Amino acid sequence: MSQNNLITMDEFTIQETRKFKQATGDLSALLRDLGLAGKIINNQVRKAGLVDILGQHGATNVQGEEQMKLDVFANETLINILKNCTECAGIASEENDDHLSYEDTYSQNAKYVVLFDPLDGSSNIDVNASIGTIFAIYRRVSPIGTPCTLEDFLQPGNKQVAAGYIIYGSSTMMVYATKLGVNGFTLEPSIGEFCLSHPNMKCPEKGKIYSINQGNSVKYDEGMMSYLSFCMENNKEEGRPYSQRYIGSMVADMHRTLIKGGIFIYPGDKSSPKGKLRLQYECNPMTLIMEAAGGMGVSGKENILDIQPTELHQRTPIFIGSKNMVEKAMEFVKAPQNA
Ligand code: P6P
């Protein structure tokens, strides 16, 4: 594409803003700043193999996981960029025990809060697999002009104003959803801009890929086991078994699912009934994106976006992807004997 055909993410978000007379441009500015954080993190990720940035940072995060130095860098980058951007009153991060309310007046007068997983899939850093940043944007419920509160970060996913991810893969992309739909932007390094590359993204209603860590299946219940058998049989729709793909990095597995169709599953099991993935900064943003693209995301009991959070770092089982594959999985998971 010649340079003069490129539409940068900033130009695109401004064009989108103009569709709403009452829009102030604050959300566009916030998305631009998240893109800036992504570019800064991208620079470090691309150097990870060269700079002595690999290896355990030593500290452990609230999940009890050893923090890779890149995790810490990504977290601090997002916190600082959002602190200086004037559209964000505060943040909550996978890497921090509690939410953080910015203390300056500009921030306290902001109307949005942001939750993020700064570097999801970080255990894949030293094997050079794709990793990513996931974010969710909410309008605060606490009064403008005051410090934001925990309630701002415990809103259900259906209250998200926007959500997205940045994937540090064979190329660096930023994908985000608003009520207008899902759009993908690829970083053009020669100009340092995210440029529109995947307009109006739609998740194929059908798919042929199931994505799950089958190593956990010894702990699955009867419904999950019957669904796995279905995936591995010559199922009627496809006339062949589904293909199994699992990268172990949610952003990478979800990006493939969004583009190619399929289903990504991290279910609950006998030892972890709520599964592993976090509701507020992994499952909710990915479900908003998937639903805006025509897919769906459920916990096995309810739509992910309808779950009322009670804790900042709570987990939920997730079945997400092509609508007809998620519905089929629910036939097994909800009532195995009727499948
Ligand atoms: P498992 C990465 O640690 C992560 O949080 C997600 O990115 C990924 O989908 C999942 O955990 C992988 O978990 O148990 O299969 O290694």
Side-chain angles (χ1 to χ4, degrees), residues 65 94 117 119-124 134 212-213 216 246-253 264 266 276-278 282:
E65 297 161 345
E94 186 199 28
D117 182 351
L119 207 57
D120 176 74
S122 51
S123 55
N124 287 296
I134 309 171
I212 188 170
N213 181 347
N216 294 327
Y246 192 72
I247 301 167
S249 171
M250 187 185 195
V251 174
D253 282 315
F264 172 82
Y266 210 109
K276 173 181 183 183
L277 300 180
R278 309 291 177 170
E282 291 175 324

Side-chain angles (χ1 to χ4, degrees), residues 31-184:
L31 288 165
R32 181 185 62 236
D33 291 309
L34 286 162
L36 173 60
K39 292 179 211 175
I40 294 169
I41 295 166
N42 177 62
N43 278 345
Q44 288 302 109
V45 166
R46 298 301 171 199
K47 288 188 291 193
L50 299 171
V51 178
D52 177 29
I53 199 163
L54 283 180
Q56 310 308 332
H57 184 262
T60 56
N61 65 16
V62 64
Q63 329 297 345
E65 297 161 345
E66 284 198 320
Q67 283 188 285
M68 291 279 199
K69 290 178 182 174
L70 266 179
D71 274 345
V72 178
F73 176 84
N75 197 44
E76 288 169 8
T77 298
L78 281 156
I79 289 172
N80 293 330
I81 292 270
L82 293 173
K83 178 167 177 279
N84 298 329
C85 79
T86 71
E87 283 79 32
C88 179
I91 62 97
S93 168
E94 186 199 28
E95 302 297 343
N96 295 32
D97 295 15
D98 303 312
H99 73 277
L100 170 66
S101 178
Y102 295 128
E103 293 171 359
D104 64 285
T105 308
Y106 281 119
S107 297
Q108 293 202 0
N109 283 314
K111 62 186 172 195
Y112 296 118
V113 294
V114 181
L115 295 94
F116 53 77
D117 182 351
L119 207 57
D120 176 74
S122 51
S123 55
N124 287 296
I125 291 171
D126 47 2
V127 296
N128 208 8
S130 298
I131 52 181
T133 298
I134 309 171
F135 61 87
I137 302 173
Y138 289 84
R139 196 169 277 103
R140 64 187 295 184
V141 293
S142 54
I144 297 271
T146 66
C148 57
T149 64
L150 180 59
E151 284 64 36
D152 292 321
F153 300 94
L154 293 182
Q155 300 179 63
N158 54 35
K159 295 288 188 188
Q160 291 175 101
V161 174
Y165 58 83
I166 299 151
I167 180 168
Y168 312 103
S170 46
S171 63
T172 299
M173 275 191 72
M174 180 161 168
V175 174
Y176 72 80
T178 64
K179 57 182 169 233
L180 290 175
V182 185
N183 292 282

Side-chain angles (χ1 to χ4, degrees), residues 133-321:
T133 298
I134 309 171
F135 61 87
I137 302 173
Y138 289 84
R139 196 169 277 103
R140 64 187 295 184
V141 293
S142 54
I144 297 271
T146 66
C148 57
T149 64
L150 180 59
E151 284 64 36
D152 292 321
F153 300 94
L154 293 182
Q155 300 179 63
N158 54 35
K159 295 288 188 188
Q160 291 175 101
V161 174
Y165 58 83
I166 299 151
I167 180 168
Y168 312 103
S170 46
S171 63
T172 299
M173 275 191 72
M174 180 161 168
V175 174
Y176 72 80
T178 64
K179 57 182 169 233
L180 290 175
V182 185
N183 292 282
F185 304 82
T186 299
L187 183 63
E188 169 44 81
S190 64
I191 58 173
E193 291 284 0
F194 282 107
C195 298
L196 184 63
S197 55
H198 295 68
N200 194 26
M201 297 178 83
K202 293 296 178 194
C203 176
E205 196 165 309
K206 288 190 172 184
K208 301 176 181 168
I209 297 170
Y210 72 106
S211 183
I212 188 170
N213 181 347
Q214 215 147 320
N216 294 327
S217 56
V218 68
K219 298 183 282 184
Y220 291 163
D221 66 18
E222 181 194 346
M224 261 315 299
M225 291 308 287
S226 58
Y227 179 64
L228 283 185
S229 302
F230 166 79
C231 291
M232 294 184 277
E233 284 160 5
N234 263 325
N235 62 69
K236 291 180 279 303
E237 287 89 347
E238 302 308 323
R240 47 151 292 181
Y242 291 143
S243 296
Q244 216 270 353
R245 295 283 185 277
Y246 192 72
I247 301 167
S249 171
M250 187 185 195
V251 174
D253 282 315
M254 283 307 307
H255 190 63
R256 182 201 58 246
T257 303
L258 176 61
I259 290 177
K260 288 185 177 286
I263 186 170
F264 172 82
I265 304 171
Y266 210 109
D269 59 40
K270 292 171 187 132
S271 59
S272 310
K274 290 286 188 185
K276 173 181 183 183
L277 300 180
R278 309 291 177 170
L279 173 63
Q280 285 307 79
Y281 38 77
E282 291 175 324
C283 297
N284 266 333
M286 287 302 184
T287 301
L288 187 84
I289 294 166
M290 194 51 73
E291 291 211 350
M296 69 187 290
V298 299
S299 68
K301 292 195 177 73
E302 58 193 311
N303 184 311
I304 292 276
L305 299 182
D306 295 336
I307 298 173
Q308 176 53 59
T310 53
E311 292 164 27
L312 200 50
H313 301 287
Q314 72 185 68
R315 304 172 195 262
T316 177
I318 185 166
F319 300 75
I320 184 170

